[in-house]
Amino acid sequence: MRERLSDRVAALRLQRESAHRTRIRRIVVRREGVRCKLQGSVRWLLNFCSNDYLGLSQHPRVLAALRDMDAAGSTASPLVCGHTVAHARLEEALCDWQQAPRALLFSSGHAANLAVLQALLGKGDACVQDRLNHASLIDGARLSGCDFRRYPHADAEGAARQLAAHPEGAALLASDGVFSMDGDLAPLRELAVVAKTHEATFYVDDAHGAGVLGEAGRGSIAAAGLSVADVPLRLVTFGKALGGAGAAVLGAADLVEHLLQTARGAIYSTALPPAQAAATQAAVALVRGDEGEALRARLRGNIARFREGAAARGLALLPSETAIQPLPAGDDARALGWSAALEARGYWVGAIRPPTVPEGGARLRITLSAAHAGGQIDGLLDALAESTGGQAPEGR
Ligand SMILES: *Cc1c(COP(=O)(O)O)cnc(C)c1O
């Protein structure tokens, strides 16, 4: 007998509820930098869960570029009539910043990852990925129909073994530069050697590295001393440190041209709003300049302050040196309880649960910004100590 979808979703809903896995969206009514007001709540909260690492989403120069444009939308896909001078200038600015020959814009990082893997790989090819890579990289590999293999987190030897096990067909080695839920860095130098040895193309998703790491904020690839010769393709997203929305894939001219010709997510989708392209170009200029340098120094200071304060209070953070600072809870209900206790004290910190993280890996994901003041970080640390009991959870 045919199963009714409404019966199936009802059963799944009950399952989710009993496992503390139901997700809700909070409505942000107002936001001023790191302070925000949620619907139904009288007080302002201090935001420690956004990816606006440098505070650029409300920077006056970024907002001015956004307002300066005369159309709400691009009106078509890039290959029809949606590719404007604002888009062309942004691609040029991104190439110059990232020291890459070509760039191609996408409406989101998620769409870009699906498109890149589907455009480049097919049956008989191999895609080898870190086990903790972003969901969009995993989905892209599955969509492509290639042989998809994962290696243990940050294990370059594991990557080499997987590539060696698949010597025929083309191969792509893909890794996040900064892992989005753990905040640690991929061993990019080792992975680049592995990719070269096994003649695989190395693709780095630098969503959380671009803008915050490396000289001029170029990201994790530059910070590792690597270039397009080692990493022929990279993803830069605009929704994190750059404070906007959208993404670009940058790298070797022949590969990027192939994406322009075949990447479904770029061809069958309306181009970014021109105002978003202009705002992102303004954000790139800021990131590269003295102000970007100063913001990164502030962010590094905030990260150090947070980690020192956490150690002093016995908070068992994961070993991350980036703006993403996870506090393992293990149990889903415990992570939710911590998050609610923090909110009652005026701090907004998200509880991240499976399937976003592995089973048993529920955590608070605390994100720091250059826009946080030292006193706000100290306040969060005290609230964390009170809300979590200040002791390490038993197991992850
Ligand atoms: C956020 C993120 C993406 C998706 O980018 P969007 O532009 O938000 O769609 C891709 N990869 C990683 C590692 C991310 O953190």
Side-chain angles (χ1 to χ4, degrees), residues 237-279:
T237 65
F238 310 155
K240 277 125 191 181
L242 296 174
V249 175
L250 294 109
D254 55 342
L255 295 176
V256 177
E257 175 62 23
H258 182 76
L259 295 179
L260 187 151
Q261 299 296 330
T262 63
R264 299 173 68 85
I267 296 173
Y268 301 108
S269 188
T270 302
L272 277 182
Q276 186 53 69

Side-chain angles (χ1 to χ4, degrees), residues 355-369:
T356 307
V357 290
E359 284 300 327
R363 68 196 63 182
L364 294 180
R365 176 179 181 268
I366 299 142
T367 50
L368 301 169
S369 167

Side-chain angles (χ1 to χ4, degrees), residues 67-359:
R67 275 194 216 103
D68 212 27
M69 303 298 285
D70 60 1
S74 63
T75 77
S77 71
L79 293 174
V80 177
C81 60
H83 190 62
T84 69
V85 67
H87 298 90
R89 283 194 183 133
L90 173 58
E91 285 185 350
E92 229 172 87
L94 288 166
C95 287
D96 194 51
W97 177 41
Q98 292 286 315
Q99 304 179 324
R102 280 288 297 275
L104 182 67
L105 298 177
F106 287 84
S107 53
S108 77
H110 190 277
N113 276 340
L114 296 191
V116 166
L117 299 197
Q118 200 182 17
L120 293 174
L121 300 174
K123 207 166 165 341
D125 298 333
C127 187
V128 170
Q129 299 199 17
D130 190 290
R131 202 174 70 83
L132 296 188
N133 271 356
H134 191 261
S136 54
L137 283 170
I138 292 164
D139 296 349
R142 289 192 177 133
L143 253 185
S144 76
C146 72
D147 183 8
F148 174 38
R149 292 160 182 253
R150 294 205 258 182
Y151 56 86
H153 180 49
D155 178 4
E157 281 174 28
R161 275 195 300 276
Q162 294 286 27
L163 284 167
H166 199 295
E168 266 117 52
L172 189 114
L173 171 59
S175 178
D176 285 13
V178 176
F179 289 90
S180 54
M181 295 301 136
D182 289 61
D184 58 337
L185 302 172
L188 293 182
R189 295 180 68 86
E190 287 90 331
L191 289 171
V193 171
V194 166
K196 272 221 170 79
T197 307
H198 294 272
E199 298 177 281
T201 299
F202 190 19
Y203 177 45
V204 173
D205 174 343
D206 208 19
H208 295 278
V212 286
L213 297 178
E215 200 200 334
R218 284 193 188 98
S220 61
I221 297 163
L226 300 175
S227 69
V228 172
D230 314 290
V231 186
L233 279 179
R234 70 186 67 180
L235 175 73
V236 169
T237 65
F238 310 155
K240 277 125 191 181
L242 296 174
V249 175
L250 294 109
D254 55 342
L255 295 176
V256 177
E257 175 62 23
H258 182 76
L259 295 179
L260 187 151
Q261 299 296 330
T262 63
R264 299 173 68 85
I267 296 173
Y268 301 108
S269 188
T270 302
L272 277 182
Q276 186 53 69
T280 302
Q281 196 189 330
V284 168
L286 273 162
V287 155
R288 296 184 67 172
D290 292 344
E291 196 172 340
E293 207 53 68
L295 289 170
R296 281 187 291 278
R298 285 201 55 157
L299 178 61
R300 281 194 299 272
N302 283 346
I303 295 167
R305 185 180 190 124
F306 179 76
R307 289 197 63 86
E308 281 160 25
R313 290 166 179 82
L315 295 165
L317 297 171
L318 292 186
S320 158
E321 300 302 318
T322 69
I324 301 166
Q325 294 288 328
L327 183 67
D331 180 63
D332 292 32
R334 174 193 263 142
L336 287 173
W338 287 356
S339 177
L342 285 165
E343 186 175 332
R345 291 175 166 85
Y347 299 90
W348 193 8
V349 179
I352 310 288
R353 290 163 285 163
T356 307
V357 290
E359 284 300 327

